[in-house]
């Protein structure tokens, strides 16, 4: 992506931003691995000075990764020249949604009411809303099965940066550039809506596997609007080829 930035100076700044972001990501992995070996939690663990130090290192690493993504995204959006409009917009939309998804992480570090009420609490922040992280989780992913979990929207949102560009790259070249662009924009809007619904559901303290009628209705509306969008694009494409 950085190779698409036009100005050499900005490419160099972007390279450093990416390198620092990668180093921060490595730091996260190292800290989490150390805590796993020690048999203690890594996230939100302030039970001892050592655990608190590791948690602060992780927080610093996340902030660096966020800033690096923001810098690269800004350079791509404002100073890049990409001939393929569908790919260009997939990168821009993917970066915007990914930054929103990453931003959900900042909500996780806010202490819960129970933690604020207990001055001896060994944790500060939580993935869960309306409960604690000790509640049963979905297999492999670990998302809370009884309460809201901010990791759902966090995960969905930040991977828009991979999903949307891959979609743009894999769309058949037989399609017109305009149709490919419309598909990418419709997919981006749908992806953003799914991210927003997952965040909204979590903030209401509702598990992703136990949606209420309002959540189901929101998902249904999103599916209908997405289907209508793609059907309209397909109809326009057929009309143009007549």
């Amino acid at each position: 992506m950085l190779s698409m930035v036009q100005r050499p100076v900005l490419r160099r700044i972007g390279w450093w931003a990416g390198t620092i972001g990668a180093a921060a990501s490595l730091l996260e992995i190292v800290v989490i691995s150390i805590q796993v070996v020690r048999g203690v939690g890594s996230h939100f663990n302030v039970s001892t000075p050592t655990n608190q130090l590791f948690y602060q290192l992780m927080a610093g690493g996340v902030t660096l990764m966020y800033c690096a993504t923001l810098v690269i995204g800004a350079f791509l959006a404002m100073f890049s020249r990409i001939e393929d409009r569908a790919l260009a917009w997939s990168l821009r939309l993917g970066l915007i949604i990914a930054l929103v998804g990453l931003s959900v992480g900042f909500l996780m570090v806010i202490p819960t009411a129970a933690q604020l009420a207990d001055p001896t609490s060994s944790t500060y922040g939580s993935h869960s809303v309306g409960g604690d992280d000790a509640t049963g989780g979905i297999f492999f992913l670990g998302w809370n099965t009884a309460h809201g979990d901010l990791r759902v929207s966090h995960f969905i949102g930040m991977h828009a940066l991979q999903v949307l560009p891959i979609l743009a790259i894999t769309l058949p070249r037989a399609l017109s550039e305009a149709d490919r662009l419309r598909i990418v924009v419709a997919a981006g809007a749908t992806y953003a809506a799914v991210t927003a619904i997952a965040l909204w559901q979590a903030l209401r303290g509702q598990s992703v596997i136990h949606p209420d009628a309002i959540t189901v209705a929101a998902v249904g509306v999103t599916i209908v609007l997405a289907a209508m969008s793609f059907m309209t694009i397909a109809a326009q494409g057929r009309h143009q080829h007549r």
Side-chain angles (χ1 to χ4, degrees):
M1 290 189 293
L2 286 170
S3 66
M4 300 174 183
V5 177
Q6 290 175 281
R7 301 181 184 179
V9 172
L10 296 182
R11 276 202 300 271
R12 285 196 293 273
I13 295 173
W15 183 89
W16 277 106
T19 302
I20 292 171
S25 180
L26 178 61
L27 174 65
E28 294 281 303
I29 295 170
V30 170
V31 170
I32 292 171
S33 300
I34 290 173
Q35 294 295 71
V36 168
V37 172
R38 295 179 67 227
V40 297
S42 54
H43 289 65
F44 320 121
N45 188 351
V46 293
S47 57
T48 67
T50 299
N51 290 331
Q52 189 170 2
L53 173 62
F54 281 141
Y55 180 42
Q56 290 172 342
L57 286 173
M58 291 176 62
V62 167
T63 303
L64 285 174
M65 282 190 287
Y66 184 89
C67 292
T69 305
L70 183 61
V71 167
I72 295 171
F75 288 178
L76 278 170
M78 295 183 290
F79 303 106
S80 63
R81 181 168 54 195
I82 306 172
E83 299 298 333
D84 187 337
R85 289 195 300 158
L87 178 59
W89 277 101
S90 72
L91 288 169
R92 290 164 185 160
L93 293 173
L95 280 162
I96 292 170
I97 300 170
L99 283 169
V100 172
L102 286 169
S103 298
V104 175
F106 294 111
L107 296 177
M108 299 177 188
V109 301
I110 299 173
T112 65
Q115 290 167 353
L116 290 173
D118 182 7
T120 64
S121 176
S122 61
T123 55
Y124 192 94
S126 176
H127 293 127
S128 304
V129 178
D132 56 53
D133 291 337
T135 311
I138 297 173
F139 174 72
F140 185 71
L141 296 170
W143 295 340
N144 205 309
T145 56
H147 307 286
D149 198 317
L150 295 168
R151 287 174 292 185
V152 181
S153 57
H154 183 60
F155 175 87
I156 295 172
M158 68 181 182
H159 289 298
L161 185 53
Q162 290 84 40
V163 173
L164 294 179
I166 288 173
L167 171 64
I169 292 169
T170 57
L171 284 173
R173 291 293 170 175
L175 294 172
S176 69
E177 183 183 27
D179 282 344
R180 293 175 66 248
L181 177 59
R182 292 188 188 104
I183 291 171
V184 165
V185 172
T190 303
Y191 202 102
V194 172
T195 304
I197 290 171
L199 177 59
W200 175 56
Q201 183 185 22
L203 290 174
R204 290 186 293 130
Q206 185 181 112
S207 172
V208 66
I209 63 172
H210 297 299
D212 61 11
I214 298 176
T215 303
V216 171
V219 172
V221 170
T222 301
I223 292 172
V224 169
L225 291 175
M228 290 174 61
S229 299
F230 291 121
M231 288 171 63
T232 301
I233 294 168
Q236 289 177 338
R238 287 194 298 270
H239 178 73
Q240 290 171 354
H241 286 87
R242 285 181 181 175

